[in-house]
Amino acid sequence: MPTTAELDRLVAANRAIRDRATKDVKALWAALAGLTAERARDALIAALPALVARHGEVAATVAADFYDEQRDIVDAPGRYTADLAPVAEPKAIAASTRWAVAPLFQAIPDMDATLGRLVEVVDDKTIGQGKRTQVLNAQRDPSQPRVARVPVGKTCAWCRMLASRGPVYQSEATALAASHSHCDCTPTPIWRGSVMPDGYDPRALYADYRRAADAARSSSPKAILAEMRKQTGLA
C-alpha cells in the first residue's frame, strides 16, 4: 500500500513537473507576442507537441517508478516492469490548442484567458501521461491490480465522489473519467488482499456523498456535487 509520505512525494513530483511546464508555456506565449491570432494558433500547434512530450515523459517515468515500487512493496506475484504510457497524440494536442486560443478570435482578444487555457491543456496532457501510466500498467500486469482514484492534496468534489467507489477501475475510460488539470487526485494501483493507502477511506467518502445526496433530495450528479461543494467547501 502507498503510505501518505509516498503519495505526497508523487504529488510533489507532479507539482514540480507542472510548474516547469507552466513556465515553458508562458515563455512560449511571450515569444508569440505581436502575432496575429491565426499565426499564434499555428505556431502553438507546431510547438506544443514537443513541449508536452518533454514534460509528459518525465511525469510518466515518475509514475512508472511509483508503480514498480508499490508492486515490490506488496510482493505482487510474477515478474513485471512498468511501461510508460504514450505521449498525447499531436492531433489531440492540436484540437485542445484550438479550444485554448478561441479567446484570441473574439472582437476584443482576451490574452489572459488564452494563456490560462494553454496552461490547462499542457497540464492535462503532461500530468495526464503519468496518470495514464498507472492505469496502463494495472491493465497489463499479470497480477491484475485495480485502480482507485485516491484523493491527495488538492482534490475536487467530483474526484472525491469517484474516489468513494474504491479500487474498482480497470480501464482508462473509467479510471480517468473527466480527469482534469490542477487536481491532485491520484490513480493508484491496489492489489487484492492489500490494505488501502494511508488516509484513504472509500466508506467515509461514500458517506459524504450520501449526505450530499440526501440534502440535495436528488439523484442528479450535478445537484449532488453542488451540495458536496457546499458542505465541504471544495471546488
Side-chain angles (χ1 to χ4, degrees), residues 25-232:
V25 172
K26 289 181 176 179
L28 173 60
W29 180 239
L32 301 179
L35 295 183
T36 64
E38 290 81 2
R39 290 186 64 189
R41 176 198 60 207
D42 293 346
L44 287 163
I45 288 173
L48 284 182
L51 191 157
V52 166
R54 183 167 66 253
H55 294 290
E57 183 175 356
V58 178
T61 299
V62 167
D65 289 346
F66 176 84
Y67 187 95
D68 287 337
E69 289 168 2
Q70 295 308 310
R71 197 179 194 283
D72 288 344
I73 288 169
V74 301
D75 195 22
R79 298 180 63 182
Y80 181 80
T81 301
D83 296 318
L84 307 188
V87 68
E89 291 286 341
K91 286 184 178 179
I93 297 172
S96 295
T97 302
R98 289 189 178 92
W99 166 80
V101 301
L104 289 181
F105 292 85
Q106 298 172 168
I108 301 177
D110 191 332
M111 314 299 280
D112 290 340
T114 300
L115 176 57
R117 286 185 174 203
L118 288 169
V119 169
E120 283 187 34
V121 167
V122 171
D123 182 81
D124 177 63
K125 302 303 182 187
T126 54
I127 302 303
Q129 189 176 349
K131 292 182 178 182
R132 286 187 286 110
T133 292
Q134 303 283 8
V135 180
L136 172 74
N137 287 291
Q139 290 175 314
R140 292 181 177 178
D141 191 338
S143 64
Q144 298 182 318
R146 294 196 177 186
V147 174
R149 288 178 69 149
V150 178
V152 183
K154 178 185 175 184
T155 298
C156 68
W158 166 260
C159 291
R160 288 174 67 87
M161 179 184 74
L162 296 179
S164 74
R165 298 174 182 172
V168 299
Y169 301 108
Q170 295 179 284
S171 70
E172 183 177 324
T174 56
L176 301 181
S179 185
H180 55 93
S181 62
H182 302 295
C183 184
D184 292 330
C185 170
T186 303
T188 304
I190 307 291
W191 278 264
R192 185 178 290 107
S194 62
V195 298
M196 293 295 177
D198 288 356
Y200 174 48
D201 186 348
R203 291 184 179 180
L205 291 169
Y206 184 70
D208 291 343
Y209 170 81
R210 287 306 320 163
R211 277 193 295 272
D214 292 343
R217 298 181 181 179
S218 172
S219 60
S220 163
K222 184 176 181 179
I224 296 170
L225 283 170
E227 185 62 35
M228 286 181 70
R229 293 182 182 108
K230 184 190 302 182
Q231 291 182 5
T232 64

